[in-house]
Amino acid sequence: MTKPLIEISGFKELEKKIKSLANDKVKNREVVKILNQVANPTVKAAKNLAPVSRKHHVQKRKGQRFGTVISPGTGRRSIGKKTMRRSRNPMVIVSPRSTRRADGWYLRRFVIRGTKKIKSNPFIDKAYEQTKGGVTKDAEQKVSKYIQKQINGLSK
């Protein structure tokens, strides 16, 4: 019988440790931090591409008597990031949000999708296309750096 050229010791223990990291909340938290940092250029590009109204207008919803005065730029201010907590994999989404500061409902409902009278304006898709190359490279580098840090910690 021939002898193996390379013998690896401790591989099973390392494999168990890596598998134990798979469901770790700390790992998910770190990856979400990385994704939030990487999503910043896309948010910036989406805010620059978002359409802005020329004047103030009143938005009335069902059951409202007077309506709400919407100032120009409200949709632009509403664009932000959201962490998807219930997804299996860590995920961050860039989209118009509804907050006290700015209501992105109109932007989500009518501007991006379009209507019979209004042509659709998929500015979020355009922003993603502008920043896609940088986002993926940056995320790949940061995640690999984090994984290497974890492996170095396990080998001690």
Side-chain angles (χ1 to χ4, degrees), residues 88-145:
R88 289 183 181 176
N89 297 325
M91 192 179 347
V92 174
I93 292 177
V94 175
S95 68
R97 313 295 327 149
S98 292
T99 61
R100 285 185 178 184
R101 187 175 69 107
D103 188 9
W105 175 81
Y106 187 82
L107 214 56
R108 285 192 315 269
R109 181 74 179 132
F110 298 114
V111 175
I112 294 172
R113 294 181 184 172
T115 63
K116 290 179 182 177
K117 295 180 181 178
I118 303 171
K119 187 179 173 188
S120 69
N121 184 357
F123 63 92
I124 300 252
D125 295 338
K126 292 175 189 171
Y128 176 70
E129 288 299 322
Q130 283 181 2
T131 60
K132 183 167 66 170
V135 168
T136 53
K137 289 176 188 172
D138 197 25
E140 193 177 315
Q141 289 173 352
K142 288 184 178 186
V143 170
S144 64
K145 191 175 182 181

Side-chain angles (χ1 to χ4, degrees), residues 53-116:
S53 173
R54 292 187 196 107
K55 58 183 180 176
H56 289 69
H57 58 279
V58 176
Q59 178 182 2
K60 273 181 121 174
R61 293 189 182 164
K62 204 173 198 178
Q64 280 186 333
R65 189 172 185 182
F66 297 108
T68 309
V69 176
I70 306 295
S71 61
T74 302
R76 183 175 277 181
R77 286 191 303 272
S78 72
I79 297 171
K81 301 174 284 193
K82 182 175 183 185
T83 304
M84 302 306 291
R85 303 247 181 244
R86 294 182 183 229
S87 65
R88 289 183 181 176
N89 297 325
M91 192 179 347
V92 174
I93 292 177
V94 175
S95 68
R97 313 295 327 149
S98 292
T99 61
R100 285 185 178 184
R101 187 175 69 107
D103 188 9
W105 175 81
Y106 187 82
L107 214 56
R108 285 192 315 269
R109 181 74 179 132
F110 298 114
V111 175
I112 294 172
R113 294 181 184 172
T115 63
K116 290 179 182 177

Side-chain angles (χ1 to χ4, degrees), residues 6 16 26 35 58 81 83 145 154:
I6 300 171
K16 285 180 186 177
V26 175
L35 291 175
V58 176
K81 301 174 284 193
T83 304
K145 191 175 182 181
L154 289 174

Side-chain angles (χ1 to χ4, degrees), residues 40-52 76-77 79 121 123 127 130-131:
N40 284 334
T42 306
V43 171
K44 200 174 197 178
K47 284 185 177 189
N48 287 336
L49 291 172
V52 178
R76 183 175 277 181
R77 286 191 303 272
I79 297 171
N121 184 357
F123 63 92
Q130 283 181 2
T131 60

